[in-house]
Amino acid sequence: MAIILPKGTTNYQEMHNGVSIIGISYSDNQVKQYSELVKNACFDSDGQDELNAYISSIGETGFTSTQSILTNIKEWQLGEALAEVHLEQCFSCHFPWSNRRDLKNPKSSLSGADLVGYHNSEFAFGEVKTSAEQKSPPQVTSKRYDGLSAQLNKLCIDTDLRQTIIQYLFFRQKETVKYQEALRTYLKNQHNFYIFGVLVRNTLPNVNDWSYLKNNFTAHKKNKSYLVALYLSFDKLRDCVTSGGES
Amino acid sequence: MITNKILQKIDDHWAVKAVGDDDFRRSILQSVKAKLVSNAVGEQLTLDPTTHILDDADLKRLAMAYEMAAIEGMHDFINHSNDDLYDQFLAGSFRAFEINRVLNDPDDDFAFIFYVLHLSSLACCGDCWTDLKHIYDDKSEKIESILLRQETEWDKQILLCLFTCWVSLFRKNSWNDLSQISNSINQLRKEQAQYEQEFLKSNSNKENQTKAIRLMALYHWAKASELLSLYMLQGDPADIKSQLDKHFNLAIKISADGGDAQLEVLLRWLHACAEQMINGSIWWVARTINSKATKFIEKLSKQAKPLLELLPPQRAALKEMNLLDPAKTAVVVDMPTSGGKTLLAQFKILQAINNFGETKGWVAYIAPTKALVSQITRQLRQDFSPIGIKVEKLSGAIEVDALEEDMLNDEASFDILVSTPEKMQLVLRNHKIKRPLSLLVMDEAHNIEDESRGLRIELLLATVKQHYQAKANFLLLMPYVENAQTLSRWLAHDRNAGLSISLSTSPWKPNERIIGLVTKQKGKKRGDWSIKYKTLITSPKTIHLKGKHKIGVTKPINDVTYSSANLSKLVAACAKNFANRGTSIVVVKTKPNTWSVAKTIFENIDPFENISTNIKLVQNYLKDEVGVEFELIKMLDKGIGIHNSGLSDEIKSLMEWLTEEGELRVLCATTTIAQGINFPVSSIFLQSIEYPYGKKMSYREFWNLVGRAGRIGQDNIGVVGIACDSDEKEKELTHFVQQSTGDLISRLIGILKELDNRGELNNLESMMYAPQWEDFRCYIAHLLNEKKELQATINEMDQMLTNTFGYSELKNTNQNHSEILLEATKQYTQSIAKNMGRVAQADMTGFSVESVKKAAQEIDQLKYKLTTSDWMPQSLFSSTDSKLPDLFSVMFKIEQLNFSHDDTQGRKKSRMADIAKAWIDGKTINEIAISFFEGNDSKKISEVYNAIYSKLANGGTWGLSALASISGLDFEAMSDEQKRQLNLMPAMLYHGVNNEESVLMRMNSVPRSIADSIGNNFKQRTEKRNIATARKYLKSLRNEDWAIYKSNFLTGSEYKKIWQILSGELD
């Protein structure tokens, strides 16, 4: 049975140049209700085993094994997991392969998108930024190369990037019909997709968080982009996740 | 292999359909072709403004759809788990590559690296890897700049190194390039300790983790790359596929877990691409043949331009269609021009030699022209000599001379014998070789339908079927033949032993091609005119662009007005315009046309800034061989060559060599080049599609010729233009190129049909004496001579005729005609059986019984009786009372010898004899021209060559040899030396020298002017003198040995090089 989770409190909602901007805050109690799903998205004991297997496989390449890699939960992982769960709950998005185990490669110039899935029978591409910075807008929205605005603009403009992501999704998707439907729509017009920019904040709700994007983000098509800010306590979320939601 | 069927099927794929309707999809593909043409020949051809080129966005959308269809089949391609999806993968990759290749490159270096590797993978998976060479050439500047980048970060260093490795794998330029891959990866291993630690020293643990993950993916990719390169080079390790699967799968999984979507997708493509490279690797394809084949492959893989991967049609023939199935005794390969059929023949030959080694079986390789016989011999010798397989050729003269007899009788002298059909026919019918024939390879076998030679070729195959069927296998190679299956069934031992491999109609092409009409158009200003090019819709689906496009500039050639711009001027102007793009062949109807077109181009083109040493070499040879004033020498200053039957075989070979070396801008040739060309050029412009006497080229000949337009790996587009000057001709040509090549039909059936149409079939018995039945009559005489007895021959006639393609087909399709043919043949047999002596002479000489009769009658009418001494070469060619003029007068009366009417006048018979004497006496072409043709301009030189090569070397040598047999000489009474001299006489005439050693030198391609002096030294230094020891002697000569042979124009080393080129000894 599907779990119904709270949708949080909408603090602001507006349209700007065809882009929907929404701010939602979660109470500690609501965060707690999310924690089980978020936890699933962050912990994966198999992940460590596989990493060890990879490390030992290097012996067969003639190279020497790379130094051991430790995994631990980072805020950005929590943020992405929360964003994924929220979009699935509140926007009827579907992400067949979340980046649960994916260790994001910050150096890769074309690493893809944080979230790849479907919305309204079309592809949905999302970028998530997590920031506890008190200043509004936070710098994660405006950084030149990997700020939220730059990344979203790139997703809107760069057809090659989208093609790679769509292919990347192909190798993971399990629901052929859904994938084909979205791809058909996309191939009819390569602007037939949705963009989600998610900002996970450890601050009070503030519409100014989007001021940089309002000036710098250009959507590929009207009514196809959502900028969603989620306001919550990071400490609470981490506690809930690490202790199984018992705190 | 990709077929038209699977390409059609992919257009019904849901992703492709999503892009738009069929019309829209077609308009995108059309746009892709237009971009390709514009990119390739935009400088020479200005596209009509109405040629619509769509936005890249639309092109990308369709490319993505095809690529997604391919990706859907990727898993099944790698694991061979589902045939439909396997095909879908191939077709999707093919189409995606077709579109992506015309899109713009990304600017960023690392994006470019991913883009190039992805594009190359699509090309490999879509069976288009041969296109990569010129794509890499186009992008070479950018690639070189990337390869020079100095990266400090370890992951980027690895990526750059892997990029270099894969560029080598895709280019396959040299063995060294590929062997360097393993060294480069070893170097990375050595540097790992030095750079990795530094790279993973970031303050952020998160960043170190992700970097480490990326490195692990790269290490597995590096290992896979190393394994692949080793396999391509030496066929090891044997379990390559499972090893590649392991490393690619790990690299993919690690990069996926590292969230590196771009690397992951690229690795998936490279994995599929590696699989396809292995599939096409010469080691993989030939791994199960035999040890000789392994040695052969080793040799191919290590040559200067290594052969590591087979062309898709070769792979398909060998692996998918079982070319080497030992149970198939007759294999017919229908393959596109430039599809690489010689290599297939080589594998089949190796199989035959391996299987029949103990019985000392031999292989007959038949090529249609003397030039092709020489070319094939050169190639087979180059490839097979290092592995101990001996290749010899028979000269172009029809009779077998004494030296050739020696060779044929010597068991150890050859494994493969290359020859024209005419000569091989004589060898086989007279059982000149006692060893078993294990395989007969017939190249360009579509000549079976040729009006003048087709029946001869068919009957040669019938002879082999008749005498050698129990052991001999057949391999027929030909382009564009739809009924290959019928042919293989005809030749096979039994119903199931035939195999036909049809690849001509597959979508794989060596390169794209445009074929169009070239017309002139008046300009707006007075006196202005230009050349318009209109592409045609053709049966092999060459590129068609809408509108009329402009070739070159307004007033494309000097001093030619609109009204004087005839078809010759048009093709000259086209060749001039395309001169900077690679060699063009201009095909014209007559020999004088070749010279006039060459002159027009000469007057309109700048000379080379520097004349290359190769061109200078040929110029010096021409000065030596023909004379300093020979017009072709001047033409070569500007890179213009000539190729027609008015030149010696050596000069034609040198023209071909210059073309292959890329030294010529234009080669002006007659239509007959269609039968002998087996090298690619950039463009072909035809003044006419007719032969000199008005006969139109067959569709197959036309497509075989234009199939040479475009060089694999060098031109994306081969350009073909046919000049046209009237609406009527436009209609005719438009129709001509749309015709399908259709079934190959026996000339026997064709001739009977023609007679039937004329209502003359019921009179076949008397019609059989017409020239077109000559080969058939010879065949019947041969059958009768073999059986020796009339009744037995008549009784078995039906069965024996069934060995012919025509009769066997008629029995199935037109019983009436087959019965009429059988009856008329029986009656003809009865009529010739009355004089079995003549029948035997006919079979021995290759003459028809009627020619033997005519020759005997004419000899009887001479006022004296010919004696043995009359036939000795000294007497024939040197003495004042030579009987040669009278013998020519006899020969002129024998139609089969093909002397033209104007040769037969009284004055000419002695002149022909005098020319023969001068030729054998070592007079130069220039001297002969001045003495006998009243001048030495190009027309006169052409007449000399025509007299020597078309008359003396063909009819003359054959006729003299046959007349000697027919003249009633008492061979028993002759001394061995006399017999040898008599048997050598035709060879001396053929080669233009007057002793045995010089003939041996000429047989081994030594220029005529030094054949005597080298021959003399050979005689002094070698005791056992034959063709093979002569070649060995020549090969043993050092540079200082050659230095003594020099003339006014050629140094010893230049002579050596000419000999190397002509004999195929040039590395």
Side-chain angles (χ1 to χ4, degrees), chain A residues 9 11-12 22-27 31 82 136 199-210 228-234:
Chain A
T9 309
N11 305 105
Y12 54 82
I22 306 154
I24 293 163
S25 57
Y26 287 107
S27 65
V31 167
L82 181 76
S136 182
L199 199 51
V200 184
R201 298 282 275 145
N202 190 16
T203 60
L204 290 173
N206 183 348
V207 74
N208 284 340
D209 281 350
W210 296 111
V228 182
L230 304 177
Y231 300 93
L232 65 149
S233 157
F234 288 179

mmCIF file of all heavy atoms in Angstrom, chain A residues 9 11-12 22-27 31 82 136 199-210 228-234:
data_model
loop_
_atom_site.group_PDB
_atom_site.id
_atom_site.type_symbol
_atom_site.label_atom_id
_atom_site.label_comp_id
_atom_site.label_asym_id
_atom_site.label_seq_id
_atom_site.Cartn_x
_atom_site.Cartn_y
_atom_site.Cartn_z
ATOM 1 N N THR A 9 3.847 22.687 4.116
ATOM 2 C CA THR A 9 3.089 23.931 4.070
ATOM 3 C C THR A 9 3.595 24.800 2.933
ATOM 4 O O THR A 9 4.805 25.046 2.843
ATOM 5 C CB THR A 9 3.256 24.712 5.395
ATOM 6 O OG1 THR A 9 2.982 23.807 6.442
ATOM 7 C CG2 THR A 9 2.350 25.927 5.461
ATOM 8 N N ASN A 11 4.521 27.990 1.367
ATOM 9 C CA ASN A 11 4.825 29.327 1.879
ATOM 10 C C ASN A 11 4.716 30.382 0.794
ATOM 11 O O ASN A 11 4.377 31.517 1.047
ATOM 12 C CB ASN A 11 6.227 29.362 2.467
ATOM 13 C CG ASN A 11 6.420 28.309 3.534
ATOM 14 O OD1 ASN A 11 7.062 27.301 3.309
ATOM 15 N ND2 ASN A 11 5.775 28.533 4.677
ATOM 16 N N TYR A 12 5.061 30.012 -0.378
ATOM 17 C CA TYR A 12 4.865 30.960 -1.489
ATOM 18 C C TYR A 12 4.696 30.166 -2.770
ATOM 19 O O TYR A 12 5.129 29.016 -2.888
ATOM 20 C CB TYR A 12 6.022 31.964 -1.609
ATOM 21 C CG TYR A 12 7.400 31.359 -1.711
ATOM 22 C CD1 TYR A 12 7.896 30.894 -2.950
ATOM 23 C CD2 TYR A 12 8.235 31.265 -0.583
ATOM 24 C CE1 TYR A 12 9.178 30.353 -3.041
ATOM 25 C CE2 TYR A 12 9.501 30.721 -0.677
ATOM 26 C CZ TYR A 12 9.978 30.247 -1.910
ATOM 27 O OH TYR A 12 11.222 29.704 -2.017
ATOM 28 N N ILE A 22 7.833 27.623 -6.193
ATOM 29 C CA ILE A 22 7.069 27.174 -5.029
ATOM 30 C C ILE A 22 8.001 27.032 -3.825
ATOM 31 O O ILE A 22 9.109 26.515 -3.967
ATOM 32 C CB ILE A 22 6.411 25.791 -5.298
ATOM 33 C CG1 ILE A 22 5.566 25.855 -6.580
ATOM 34 C CG2 ILE A 22 5.545 25.337 -4.119
ATOM 35 C CD1 ILE A 22 5.399 24.528 -7.270
ATOM 36 N N GLY A 23 7.532 27.481 -2.654
ATOM 37 C CA GLY A 23 8.295 27.282 -1.425
ATOM 38 C C GLY A 23 7.455 26.484 -0.438
ATOM 39 O O GLY A 23 6.306 26.832 -0.173
ATOM 40 N N ILE A 24 8.018 25.388 0.066
ATOM 41 C CA ILE A 24 7.272 24.517 0.973
ATOM 42 C C ILE A 24 8.124 24.258 2.209
ATOM 43 O O ILE A 24 9.311 23.959 2.089
ATOM 44 C CB ILE A 24 6.935 23.178 0.287
ATOM 45 C CG1 ILE A 24 5.928 23.421 -0.866
ATOM 46 C CG2 ILE A 24 6.365 22.161 1.270
ATOM 47 C CD1 ILE A 24 5.812 22.311 -1.852
ATOM 48 N N SER A 25 7.484 24.373 3.369
ATOM 49 C CA SER A 25 8.252 24.061 4.571
ATOM 50 C C SER A 25 7.686 22.821 5.255
ATOM 51 O O SER A 25 6.501 22.516 5.141
ATOM 52 C CB SER A 25 8.253 25.250 5.533
ATOM 53 O OG SER A 25 6.926 25.592 5.847
ATOM 54 N N TYR A 26 8.603 22.085 5.890
ATOM 55 C CA TYR A 26 8.221 20.885 6.616
ATOM 56 C C TYR A 26 8.488 21.073 8.097
ATOM 57 O O TYR A 26 9.575 21.545 8.477
ATOM 58 C CB TYR A 26 9.038 19.685 6.134
ATOM 59 C CG TYR A 26 8.636 19.174 4.770
ATOM 60 C CD1 TYR A 26 9.443 19.387 3.662
ATOM 61 C CD2 TYR A 26 7.436 18.467 4.626
ATOM 62 C CE1 TYR A 26 9.082 18.900 2.424
ATOM 63 C CE2 TYR A 26 7.065 17.987 3.375
ATOM 64 C CZ TYR A 26 7.893 18.195 2.284
ATOM 65 O OH TYR A 26 7.520 17.713 1.082
ATOM 66 N N SER A 27 7.498 20.675 8.869
ATOM 67 C CA SER A 27 7.712 20.692 10.318
ATOM 68 C C SER A 27 8.568 19.485 10.681
ATOM 69 O O SER A 27 8.724 18.562 9.868
ATOM 70 C CB SER A 27 6.360 20.601 11.054
ATOM 71 O OG SER A 27 5.789 19.325 10.768
ATOM 72 N N VAL A 31 8.992 15.930 8.754
ATOM 73 C CA VAL A 31 10.303 15.386 8.354
ATOM 74 C C VAL A 31 10.415 13.950 8.823
ATOM 75 O O VAL A 31 10.873 13.070 8.093
ATOM 76 C CB VAL A 31 11.441 16.255 8.929
ATOM 77 C CG1 VAL A 31 12.789 15.532 8.807
ATOM 78 C CG2 VAL A 31 11.490 17.602 8.241
ATOM 79 N N LEU A 82 15.561 13.516 -0.322
ATOM 80 C CA LEU A 82 14.328 14.206 0.087
ATOM 81 C C LEU A 82 13.619 14.806 -1.125
ATOM 82 O O LEU A 82 12.404 14.691 -1.281
ATOM 83 C CB LEU A 82 14.655 15.300 1.101
ATOM 84 C CG LEU A 82 13.425 16.052 1.609
ATOM 85 C CD1 LEU A 82 12.657 15.195 2.623
ATOM 86 C CD2 LEU A 82 13.815 17.378 2.260
ATOM 87 N N SER A 136 20.340 34.900 1.376
ATOM 88 C CA SER A 136 19.366 34.568 0.334
ATOM 89 C C SER A 136 19.574 35.525 -0.844
ATOM 90 O O SER A 136 19.631 36.740 -0.621
ATOM 91 C CB SER A 136 17.947 34.711 0.888
ATOM 92 O OG SER A 136 17.014 34.348 -0.080
ATOM 93 N N LEU A 199 15.664 23.243 -4.316
ATOM 94 C CA LEU A 199 16.591 23.833 -3.352
ATOM 95 C C LEU A 199 16.181 23.319 -1.980
ATOM 96 O O LEU A 199 15.041 23.511 -1.570
ATOM 97 C CB LEU A 199 16.434 25.352 -3.447
ATOM 98 C CG LEU A 199 17.519 26.262 -2.912
ATOM 99 C CD1 LEU A 199 18.897 25.888 -3.440
ATOM 100 C CD2 LEU A 199 17.161 27.699 -3.297
ATOM 101 N N VAL A 200 17.062 22.596 -1.307
ATOM 102 C CA VAL A 200 16.727 22.095 0.023
ATOM 103 C C VAL A 200 17.434 23.003 1.028
ATOM 104 O O VAL A 200 18.659 23.134 0.991
ATOM 105 C CB VAL A 200 17.162 20.617 0.183
ATOM 106 C CG1 VAL A 200 16.710 20.088 1.543
ATOM 107 C CG2 VAL A 200 16.567 19.777 -0.947
ATOM 108 N N ARG A 201 16.620 23.642 1.894
ATOM 109 C CA ARG A 201 17.174 24.715 2.744
ATOM 110 C C ARG A 201 16.970 24.422 4.230
ATOM 111 O O ARG A 201 15.955 23.855 4.633
ATOM 112 C CB ARG A 201 16.478 26.042 2.416
ATOM 113 C CG ARG A 201 16.679 26.504 0.995
ATOM 114 C CD ARG A 201 18.048 27.129 0.806
ATOM 115 N NE ARG A 201 18.064 28.536 1.167
ATOM 116 C CZ ARG A 201 19.113 29.129 1.738
ATOM 117 N NH1 ARG A 201 20.176 28.433 2.079
ATOM 118 N NH2 ARG A 201 19.089 30.427 1.997
ATOM 119 N N ASN A 202 17.939 24.822 4.983
ATOM 120 C CA ASN A 202 17.896 24.682 6.433
ATOM 121 C C ASN A 202 17.593 26.062 7.038
ATOM 122 O O ASN A 202 18.162 26.449 8.033
ATOM 123 C CB ASN A 202 19.291 24.171 6.867
ATOM 124 C CG ASN A 202 19.315 23.756 8.314
ATOM 125 O OD1 ASN A 202 18.265 23.567 8.926
ATOM 126 N ND2 ASN A 202 20.515 23.613 8.858
ATOM 127 N N THR A 203 16.713 26.818 6.313
ATOM 128 C CA THR A 203 16.429 28.205 6.742
ATOM 129 C C THR A 203 14.923 28.420 6.767
ATOM 130 O O THR A 203 14.152 27.525 6.388
ATOM 131 C CB THR A 203 17.016 29.210 5.742
ATOM 132 O OG1 THR A 203 16.403 28.964 4.474
ATOM 133 C CG2 THR A 203 18.523 29.087 5.605
ATOM 134 N N LEU A 204 14.562 29.595 7.138
ATOM 135 C CA LEU A 204 13.138 29.940 7.048
ATOM 136 C C LEU A 204 12.781 30.185 5.588
ATOM 137 O O LEU A 204 13.637 30.594 4.797
ATOM 138 C CB LEU A 204 12.862 31.222 7.857
ATOM 139 C CG LEU A 204 12.962 31.052 9.368
ATOM 140 C CD1 LEU A 204 12.849 32.425 10.056
ATOM 141 C CD2 LEU A 204 11.875 30.093 9.873
ATOM 142 N N PRO A 205 11.549 29.930 5.200
ATOM 143 C CA PRO A 205 11.149 30.145 3.801
ATOM 144 C C PRO A 205 11.382 31.592 3.372
ATOM 145 O O PRO A 205 11.113 32.507 4.129
ATOM 146 C CB PRO A 205 9.652 29.813 3.792
ATOM 147 C CG PRO A 205 9.458 28.946 4.992
ATOM 148 C CD PRO A 205 10.460 29.391 6.016
ATOM 149 N N ASN A 206 11.924 31.751 2.150
ATOM 150 C CA ASN A 206 12.188 33.100 1.652
ATOM 151 C C ASN A 206 12.176 33.052 0.130
ATOM 152 O O ASN A 206 13.016 32.383 -0.486
ATOM 153 C CB ASN A 206 13.560 33.574 2.156
ATOM 154 C CG ASN A 206 13.851 35.003 1.731
ATOM 155 O OD1 ASN A 206 13.138 35.562 0.878
ATOM 156 N ND2 ASN A 206 14.886 35.584 2.318
ATOM 157 N N VAL A 207 11.252 33.751 -0.477
ATOM 158 C CA VAL A 207 11.112 33.700 -1.943
ATOM 159 C C VAL A 207 12.364 34.285 -2.621
ATOM 160 O O VAL A 207 12.646 33.961 -3.784
ATOM 161 C CB VAL A 207 9.806 34.386 -2.407
ATOM 162 C CG1 VAL A 207 9.928 35.902 -2.288
ATOM 163 C CG2 VAL A 207 9.429 33.978 -3.829
ATOM 164 N N ASN A 208 13.119 35.092 -1.878
ATOM 165 C CA ASN A 208 14.358 35.647 -2.451
ATOM 166 C C ASN A 208 15.395 34.584 -2.792
ATOM 167 O O ASN A 208 16.353 34.849 -3.520
ATOM 168 C CB ASN A 208 14.987 36.658 -1.498
ATOM 169 C CG ASN A 208 14.232 37.968 -1.534
ATOM 170 O OD1 ASN A 208 13.521 38.219 -2.517
ATOM 171 N ND2 ASN A 208 14.357 38.746 -0.484
ATOM 172 N N ASP A 209 15.202 33.390 -2.233
ATOM 173 C CA ASP A 209 16.107 32.305 -2.592
ATOM 174 C C ASP A 209 16.148 32.116 -4.111
ATOM 175 O O ASP A 209 17.098 31.575 -4.660
ATOM 176 C CB ASP A 209 15.654 30.983 -1.941
ATOM 177 C CG ASP A 209 16.067 30.913 -0.466
ATOM 178 O OD1 ASP A 209 16.848 31.796 -0.040
ATOM 179 O OD2 ASP A 209 15.618 29.987 0.232
ATOM 180 N N TRP A 210 15.110 32.517 -4.774
ATOM 181 C CA TRP A 210 15.019 32.303 -6.244
ATOM 182 C C TRP A 210 15.385 33.547 -7.049
ATOM 183 O O TRP A 210 15.255 33.551 -8.263
ATOM 184 C CB TRP A 210 13.595 31.858 -6.610
ATOM 185 C CG TRP A 210 13.265 30.533 -5.994
ATOM 186 C CD1 TRP A 210 12.375 30.296 -5.001
ATOM 187 C CD2 TRP A 210 13.869 29.273 -6.330
ATOM 188 N NE1 TRP A 210 12.354 28.962 -4.675
ATOM 189 C CE2 TRP A 210 13.271 28.307 -5.482
ATOM 190 C CE3 TRP A 210 14.844 28.862 -7.235
ATOM 191 C CZ2 TRP A 210 13.607 26.957 -5.527
ATOM 192 C CZ3 TRP A 210 15.182 27.524 -7.274
ATOM 193 C CH2 TRP A 210 14.577 26.594 -6.437
ATOM 194 N N VAL A 228 11.442 24.477 -6.960
ATOM 195 C CA VAL A 228 10.814 24.099 -5.693
ATOM 196 C C VAL A 228 11.838 24.231 -4.562
ATOM 197 O O VAL A 228 12.911 23.638 -4.644
ATOM 198 C CB VAL A 228 10.310 22.635 -5.765
ATOM 199 C CG1 VAL A 228 9.599 22.264 -4.460
ATOM 200 C CG2 VAL A 228 9.392 22.443 -6.966
ATOM 201 N N ALA A 229 11.466 25.020 -3.550
ATOM 202 C CA ALA A 229 12.343 25.115 -2.382
ATOM 203 C C ALA A 229 11.710 24.347 -1.226
ATOM 204 O O ALA A 229 10.508 24.475 -0.980
ATOM 205 C CB ALA A 229 12.563 26.567 -2.000
ATOM 206 N N LEU A 230 12.510 23.500 -0.568
ATOM 207 C CA LEU A 230 12.017 22.745 0.580
ATOM 208 C C LEU A 230 12.751 23.252 1.825
ATOM 209 O O LEU A 230 13.994 23.256 1.839
ATOM 210 C CB LEU A 230 12.277 21.251 0.385
ATOM 211 C CG LEU A 230 11.699 20.629 -0.891
ATOM 212 C CD1 LEU A 230 12.111 19.162 -0.986
ATOM 213 C CD2 LEU A 230 10.170 20.747 -0.921
ATOM 214 N N TYR A 231 11.973 23.703 2.808
ATOM 215 C CA TYR A 231 12.567 24.271 4.022
ATOM 216 C C TYR A 231 12.348 23.315 5.188
ATOM 217 O O TYR A 231 11.210 22.921 5.452
ATOM 218 C CB TYR A 231 11.943 25.645 4.325
ATOM 219 C CG TYR A 231 12.169 26.642 3.188
ATOM 220 C CD1 TYR A 231 11.224 26.811 2.178
ATOM 221 C CD2 TYR A 231 13.349 27.401 3.134
ATOM 222 C CE1 TYR A 231 11.421 27.699 1.137
ATOM 223 C CE2 TYR A 231 13.555 28.300 2.095
ATOM 224 C CZ TYR A 231 12.597 28.455 1.092
ATOM 225 O OH TYR A 231 12.813 29.337 0.064
ATOM 226 N N LEU A 232 13.448 22.908 5.811
ATOM 227 C CA LEU A 232 13.334 21.960 6.917
ATOM 228 C C LEU A 232 14.591 21.999 7.766
ATOM 229 O O LEU A 232 15.580 22.640 7.394
ATOM 230 C CB LEU A 232 13.124 20.539 6.390
ATOM 231 C CG LEU A 232 14.288 19.956 5.583
ATOM 232 C CD1 LEU A 232 14.328 18.452 5.787
ATOM 233 C CD2 LEU A 232 14.131 20.261 4.112
ATOM 234 N N SER A 233 14.562 21.252 8.849
ATOM 235 C CA SER A 233 15.742 21.180 9.724
ATOM 236 C C SER A 233 16.595 20.007 9.282
ATOM 237 O O SER A 233 16.161 18.858 9.287
ATOM 238 C CB SER A 233 15.291 20.991 11.183
ATOM 239 O OG SER A 233 16.341 20.414 11.922
ATOM 240 N N PHE A 234 17.828 20.282 8.855
ATOM 241 C CA PHE A 234 18.744 19.212 8.427
ATOM 242 C C PHE A 234 19.091 18.273 9.575
ATOM 243 O O PHE A 234 19.201 17.072 9.409
ATOM 244 C CB PHE A 234 20.043 19.803 7.865
ATOM 245 C CG PHE A 234 19.897 20.470 6.509
ATOM 246 C CD1 PHE A 234 20.991 21.066 5.900
ATOM 247 C CD2 PHE A 234 18.665 20.469 5.839
ATOM 248 C CE1 PHE A 234 20.881 21.668 4.658
ATOM 249 C CE2 PHE A 234 18.547 21.081 4.589
ATOM 250 C CZ PHE A 234 19.648 21.688 3.995
#
